[in-house]
Amino acid sequence: MWWFYRKGPSGFSGTSTAEEVTAGVDGRSLVAVITGASSGIGLETARVLTLRGVHVVMPVRNVAAGLAVKESIVANIPGARIDVLELDLSSMASVRRFASEFESLNLPLNILINNAGVLTRNCSCSCDGLELHFATNHIGHFLLTNLLLENMKSTCRDSGTEGRIVNVTSAGHAMTYPEGICFDKIRDPSGLNDFIAYGQSKLANILHSNELSRIFKEEGVNISANAVHPGVIATNLFRGRTIVAAFLNSIGRIMCRSVEQGAATTCYVAMHPQVKGISGKYFADCNISSPSVQASDAELAKKLWQFSLQTVSA
């Protein structure tokens, strides 16, 4: 486990915490949207960004849980600015409602952290007829990003501050199909393995970041898009996996990092000055890392982009 402790060029490592990597960063002029912020690394990300002065908007499926998190953060961070809105990423209609409600808040948007994710026991379909992992982990975030982009673009133009999009992926993105993504199985998940389906959705997160970055550079837009691997953390992602959860809990002290450490790379890429101007990269342990060969496939990224556009427009 020596690599977990070894500091990289950033000066941080897998043992760094979210508070440590954002120490001294002033976020009082910033607004961030963080999906999946009612538990796990999303909650810690929201807490730490709030601690640094960022106005955090939490899109959550369970509003009661989100409000409880807000109450807890505000109790410990006087003056914390947090809004809680409902969002079910597996439903495109819900994503559109959230975007409309966010617009009604009349807030700028500097940071978008697409953090939420699911790992289910089977490859069922979403209400829109899409394989659930792909629908929630990729399509929901793809649509959300597109709907919030004009706000981000105008915010970075008006403020002169770089906008940042952070897609939380997983090292599991390498565990997918030989062709990367089985587009013909997105609406027909019969026969799909759930872990492989999860892996292809996480691969999609990286490809989404890469294509966003390419488009931003082409348009001359001052917004970066990067993907981050938080490390192995025993979070609610595994709540439906009794054996996996038990395994992670049993070896947690040896192999798993804490939630505070798991949120570090996300917070680093979202806020640290060192990351300014860096886009289209894959980060792990608060340093630029190398994803799978498929994750670097520019043609696959373009194909995914077109498929996703057609899907959200159908």
Side-chain angles (χ1 to χ4, degrees), residues 35-270:
T35 66
S38 61
S39 65
I41 61 174
L43 191 162
E44 178 65 2
T45 299
R47 185 190 72 81
V48 172
L49 262 63
T50 302
L51 182 66
R52 303 307 176 209
V54 178
H55 184 156
V56 170
V57 178
M58 296 171 48
V60 295
R61 187 168 52 181
N62 185 331
V63 174
L67 290 173
V69 167
K70 173 183 177 178
E71 183 178 338
S72 174
I73 293 176
V74 171
N76 289 282
I77 305 175
R81 298 174 295 162
I82 303 175
D83 289 293
V84 177
L85 298 176
E86 185 176 9
L87 171 64
D88 179 353
L89 282 163
S90 69
S91 164
M92 287 188 273
S94 178
V95 175
R96 295 183 191 282
R97 281 195 299 272
F98 166 80
S100 178
E101 291 175 3
F102 177 76
E103 184 179 355
S104 69
L105 295 177
N106 293 314
L107 290 172
L109 181 59
N110 306 93
I111 302 168
L112 172 59
I113 300 177
N114 292 320
N115 164 80
V118 297
L119 171 57
T120 69
R121 278 185 169 276
N122 50 60
C123 296
S124 57
C125 283
S126 70
C127 62
D128 297 309
L130 307 174
E131 192 280 315
L132 191 58
H133 294 94
F134 199 82
T136 305
N137 299 348
H138 171 63
I139 290 295
H141 283 131
F142 177 88
L143 177 58
L144 177 65
T145 302
N146 280 10
L147 293 173
L148 299 180
L149 264 183
E150 285 308 311
N151 185 320
M152 291 198 77
K153 288 179 180 180
S154 62
T155 298
C156 72
R157 281 196 303 266
D158 295 343
S159 66
T161 301
E162 177 188 60
R164 298 191 185 185
I165 297 174
V166 183
N167 284 341
V168 179
T169 181
S170 166
H173 76 271
M175 187 176 64
T176 185
Y177 303 95
E179 61 270 45
I181 295 174
C182 285
F183 293 100
D184 60 338
K185 301 295 288 183
I186 301 303
R187 293 187 181 275
D188 177 24
S190 58
L192 284 183
N193 174 278
D194 43 5
F195 280 109
I196 299 297
Y198 173 77
Q200 83 168 352
S201 73
K202 294 287 97 181
L203 171 62
N205 294 153
I206 303 176
L207 294 171
H208 179 210
S209 301
N210 294 349
E211 187 63 4
L212 273 172
S213 178
R214 185 191 69 78
I215 292 171
F216 292 153
K217 289 176 182 176
E218 190 176 82
E219 295 179 348
V221 176
N222 189 25
I223 300 175
S224 65
N226 292 292
V228 304
H229 166 50
V232 180
I233 307 117
T235 67
N236 285 344
L237 178 67
F238 302 102
R239 59 182 173 271
R241 296 278 180 172
T242 305
I243 295 177
V244 175
F247 176 72
L248 289 176
N249 287 331
S250 67
I251 66 169
R253 294 181 181 179
I254 302 173
M255 293 187 64
C256 295
R257 60 191 67 186
S258 68
V259 170
E260 292 80 7
Q261 293 167 336
T265 304
T266 299
C267 290
Y268 172 74
V269 175

